[in-house]
Amino acid sequence: MMLQKRWLIGLACLAISHAYCNPMGEAGKFVPIKFGDFEQWVMRPVKESGIIGGATKTLYEVGPTQSLTGNVPYTNKGGSPWGTSNVMAKVSGITKTNQSVYRDRHGGGYCAKLVTHIEQVKVLGLINIKVLAAGSLYLGDMKEPITGTKEGPKALNWGIPFTGHPKAVRFDYKVAVSGEKNRIRQTGFSGRQTVDGPDLCVAVLYLQQRHEDAAGNITAKRVGTMVVTYGKSTAGWVEAATYPIMYGDIRSRNGYDATLMGLRSCDYARNSHGKSVPVKEVGWATANDAPTHLILQFSSSHGGAYVGSPGNTLWVDNVGLVY
């Protein structure tokens, strides 16, 4: 049972619940996010342990084109700001991967493909764990290898330093939803459970003004918010979809939902001492306040860890900000 519990962290989906925000054709200057055209990828073959089959899985990471060798913990390459839910775990000497973000074709180039799926671990026929995992692409990084259940949230470093004041976020996307009326929750601890409501693909942007105290604790005020979900498959690519960023206290704005767009205290970041600590949002900044950090995430499921519908897929390309 202890081994089963430990393995779950390497398979957890990196999903967040969000609400819908209407797209808007914002005019202005488009500034690409570094490597946000997804033309360059790092390929890292990871050989899983023989006790669970010994397969070699190729994990794709966003960064300058190169192929790595060996089961080496990954760190972002070439100044890439992007992390993914592709992760290597090493628990009790056993190496396992989660593979849910892929390089795919878009026109004459590449894009990112995020997939919700069931990750399975079998150990000599004695343990058979099935866990639902979503594909997630985000600004930040992951500390590898994952070695235990308590390290999961702390391993994910959310957001990057950022002081701009963009009007909107813009990207190309394509969606294929499963069509299931309800989602499932599959954690590996218990059997498959039904969760009411269809699964949604999601994109979220937060601008935060963070403060670190002398003890290394991080608090933040929310400067800007953008949330959009996708519940229907598209006929093809939607190019240059543009979504305005709402600044300041948005609680009185139409469509605001506190459970989906409210202040958060469950995310982690590394402080100036290199220690992973919670980022606790303590209030709303004014619309004119300058942020210190940008959080941007795309995910193939919206319901949180272990919840979603296998087959939900989100393609993303050409990500940038509009000024």
Side-chain angles (χ1 to χ4, degrees):
M1 178 61 72
M2 182 58 67
L3 178 61
Q4 179 176 351
K5 289 180 179 178
R6 288 177 178 174
W7 270 115
L8 295 179
I9 191 57
L11 311 178
C13 62
L14 304 173
I16 298 176
S17 297
H18 299 293
Y20 181 71
C21 177
N22 285 325
M24 173 180 174
E26 288 279 350
K29 181 181 179 182
F30 175 74
V31 178
I33 294 177
K34 190 174 184 178
F35 293 104
D37 59 1
F38 305 115
E39 293 304 305
Q40 299 187 71
W41 292 81
V42 180
M43 292 174 285
R44 46 185 303 232
V46 176
K47 183 173 176 57
E48 298 182 335
S49 294
I51 196 172
I52 57 172
T56 296
K57 304 286 184 65
T58 298
L59 303 185
Y60 285 89
E61 309 290 350
V62 182
T65 302
Q66 58 187 289
S67 295
L68 307 180
T69 58
N71 290 6
V72 179
Y74 184 75
T75 57
N76 288 19
K77 306 299 182 186
S80 173
W82 295 98
T84 77
S85 54
N86 291 343
V87 66
M88 178 179 70
K90 191 170 185 179
V91 182
S92 300
I94 300 174
T95 299
K96 177 74 178 76
T97 64
N98 176 48
Q99 188 180 31
S100 53
V101 175
Y102 301 86
R103 182 185 69 180
D104 204 1
R105 285 287 183 182
H106 178 202
Y110 293 114
C111 66
K113 178 183 178 181
L114 320 178
V115 181
T116 298
H117 69 117
I118 299 294
E119 190 69 49
Q120 188 170 10
V121 178
K122 291 184 178 181
V123 180
L124 296 178
L126 300 177
I127 298 177
N128 188 358
I129 304 171
K130 294 181 179 181
V131 178
L132 186 135
S136 180
L137 177 71
Y138 57 91
L139 293 179
D141 61 90
M142 177 76 72
K143 183 180 179 180
E144 286 190 346
I146 305 298
T147 59
T149 55
K150 294 182 180 180
E151 292 188 8
K154 297 180 180 180
L156 186 58
N157 183 37
W158 278 108
I160 60 173
F162 182 83
T163 58
H165 215 266
K167 294 193 298 183
V169 59
R170 179 178 293 166
F171 52 88
D172 305 336
Y173 73 89
K174 185 171 70 169
V175 174
V177 296
S178 69
E180 296 293 331
K181 294 182 178 180
N182 295 306
R183 295 160 286 168
I184 65 171
R185 185 173 188 266
Q186 193 147 5
T187 68
F189 288 116
S190 58
R192 175 171 166 166
Q193 300 170 321
T194 298
V195 177
D196 290 341
D199 198 12
L200 307 174
C201 298
V202 61
V204 58
L205 180 148
Y206 296 143
L207 291 170
Q208 292 179 330
Q209 187 183 75
R210 294 182 184 176
H211 172 75
E212 181 179 335
D213 65 19
N217 301 307
I218 297 177
T219 56
K221 288 186 177 181
R222 177 77 65 79
V223 178
T225 307
M226 190 295 300
V227 175
V228 60
T229 58
Y230 304 102
K232 295 182 179 180
S233 299
T234 58
W237 279 91
V238 178
E239 309 285 347
T242 305
Y243 302 94
I245 298 168
M246 297 179 289
Y247 280 90
D249 187 344
I250 63 172
R251 287 176 292 179
S252 62
R253 299 284 291 267
N254 290 336
Y256 174 77
D257 185 330
T259 62
L260 303 177
M261 304 173 74
L263 302 179
R264 300 173 59 81
S265 60
C266 58
D267 305 318
Y268 278 79
R270 292 187 203 104
N271 63 19
S272 61
H273 306 289
K275 181 180 178 181
S276 181
V277 297
V279 178
K280 297 181 180 180
E281 290 187 320
V282 295
W284 300 88
T286 70
N288 294 322
D289 282 338
T292 62
H293 286 79
L294 166 65
I295 294 171
L296 177 61
Q297 185 207 23
F298 301 92
S299 181
S300 57
S301 290
H302 80 291
Y306 313 117
V307 176
S309 294
N312 250 43
T313 306
L314 173 64
W315 290 261
V316 180
D317 204 359
N318 299 320
V319 181
L321 301 171
V322 179
Y323 290 85

